[in-house]
Amino acid sequence: MMPPLHSFRSALLACAAVLLPLSWVGAVEPPRLVLQNGRSVPLSALALQGNNFTVTAAIEGFTGGQVLSMETVDHVFGEKPTELNPAIALLLMDKPEDALKLLEPIVASQRISAKIPGNFWLEAARAALVAYAVSGNTSKCNELGKEISDATPMQGIDPFVSLGKALLLPASSKAEDRALAFRDLTTDNFPADVSAYASFYLGNTLKSVKRNSDAVLAAKQDADALEAYLMVPCLFPSGGMILNAVGELKASEFLVTLGRREEAVALLKSSIQHSNGTMVAVEANKHLESIK
């Protein structure tokens, strides 16, 4: 049996207030393909030809033109592209075009590793799909959705395709319909990153609805939006650090309005830690300074 709604929101807020940021651990070199025999080769030194990789030039014991079968590759190892987190931050701060300027080069350069475990292509491609959907670019969204699904054949149509469809609902759609489309993606049937994005955009949808003239109903509208933002770091924290940070930032804005300063400060500090080096951290710092 579900707990009362007010208790659920209180639990979410308590979770967000004590949530510790995930550690940022990075490797010290660009992405490499690691073979099953332990040897590795830089991703930048390879070309994909069918289901095989070809070494483009002699490097580290590999000869130019040498063919490496896909079956001999174990995983991708290396440093996450430094532009990826700032790009996701731009996307979630309503700057999808700026985000795509950073995401598209990553998608292009990492595409070769799309089907290899541990690749950085999928996260960038899924963020780019969201950016295309938010921008209303249906053709690009569908094209990339198919490419992502082809790279993850075990799960059929990639769940981000469903997220893209929800985001592409026309502006003329009723807010209730858009909200329902996002809520449907926050169940246990979907991966955490899909649900985190859906919760965030649910919060945006609820926040954009014109407030009721009745004070009680208006307060409920604000509470629903606050709950949606808090779901991101509390129910789907593995969806991504930047998503967590933006959820905390947006939730803190409602708490300030409600006069709950200490809780807002806690969320803002967590947001800054989650999003170091991105636009989100800059905005969270501004908000924190403004309520000190």
Side-chain angles (χ1 to χ4, degrees):
M1 181 176 178
M2 288 291 292
L5 191 54
H6 67 85
S7 298
F8 179 57
R9 288 176 180 144
S10 298
L12 285 177
L13 189 56
C15 161
V18 302
L19 189 66
L20 296 176
L22 302 175
S23 60
W24 288 37
V25 181
V28 294
E29 60 180 279
R32 304 172 68 90
L33 288 190
V34 180
L35 306 180
Q36 292 178 355
N37 62 11
R39 297 182 66 192
S40 67
V41 58
L43 200 64
S44 59
L46 298 170
L48 182 62
Q49 296 182 335
N51 286 325
N52 297 321
F53 295 98
T54 300
V55 181
T56 56
I59 186 172
E60 300 179 12
F62 293 90
T63 59
Q66 183 176 346
V67 176
L68 305 175
S69 171
M70 184 80 73
E71 286 72 24
T72 67
V73 179
D74 188 71
H75 66 278
V76 176
F77 173 82
E79 184 178 6
K80 182 176 182 177
T82 55
E83 302 86 358
L84 187 49
N85 281 335
I88 294 174
L90 287 167
L91 166 61
L92 298 174
M93 296 298 286
D94 201 26
K95 295 182 179 294
E97 292 182 0
D98 291 336
L100 284 169
K101 290 177 182 177
L102 298 179
L103 290 168
E104 288 177 336
I106 301 174
V107 172
S109 66
Q110 302 292 317
R111 180 174 278 113
I112 187 176
S113 65
K115 295 184 178 181
I116 306 300
N119 73 79
F120 302 110
W121 182 83
L122 273 176
E123 184 178 3
R126 286 166 171 163
L129 182 151
V130 173
Y132 288 133
V134 170
S135 302
N137 194 331
T138 302
S139 60
K140 280 283 190 180
C141 185
N142 291 341
E143 178 184 325
L144 191 52
K146 182 181 184 307
E147 191 174 354
I148 293 171
S149 296
D150 289 344
T152 57
M154 293 295 291
Q155 58 187 31
I157 297 176
D158 193 86
F160 268 81
V161 172
S162 297
L163 176 63
K165 290 179 179 178
L167 290 166
L168 283 167
L169 285 174
S172 58
S173 301
K174 293 181 179 179
E176 293 84 355
D177 293 336
R178 296 198 303 275
L180 179 60
F182 291 128
R183 288 189 191 280
D184 286 345
L185 298 173
T186 62
T187 68
D188 293 339
N189 298 325
F190 290 90
D193 49 359
V194 172
S195 295
Y197 272 110
S199 297
F200 171 75
Y201 285 107
L202 171 61
N204 283 359
T205 299
L206 297 174
K207 182 180 179 181
S208 67
V209 175
K210 183 179 180 180
R211 289 299 175 259
N212 197 290
S213 58
D214 182 282
V216 175
L217 293 177
K220 182 182 184 305
Q221 288 177 305
D222 287 345
D224 288 344
L226 171 61
E227 176 188 314
Y229 287 131
L230 288 174
M231 285 168 63
V232 179
C234 292
L235 297 187
F236 313 111
S238 61
M241 291 185 294
I242 304 302
L243 279 157
N244 292 340
V246 178
E248 292 165 336
L249 171 60
K250 295 291 186 179
S252 72
E253 295 172 0
F254 282 96
L255 293 175
V256 170
T257 301
L258 293 170
R260 298 161 67 175
R261 180 183 170 281
E262 290 186 5
E263 294 161 289
V265 167
L267 287 186
L268 287 169
K269 287 182 177 180
S270 180
S271 178
I272 293 167
Q273 290 179 300
H274 277 127
S275 59
N276 183 39
T278 74
M279 179 183 180
V280 176
V282 173
E283 289 300 312
N285 266 305
K286 289 180 181 177
H287 282 270
L288 185 59
E289 289 298 319
S290 70
I291 62 175
K292 279 186 176 179

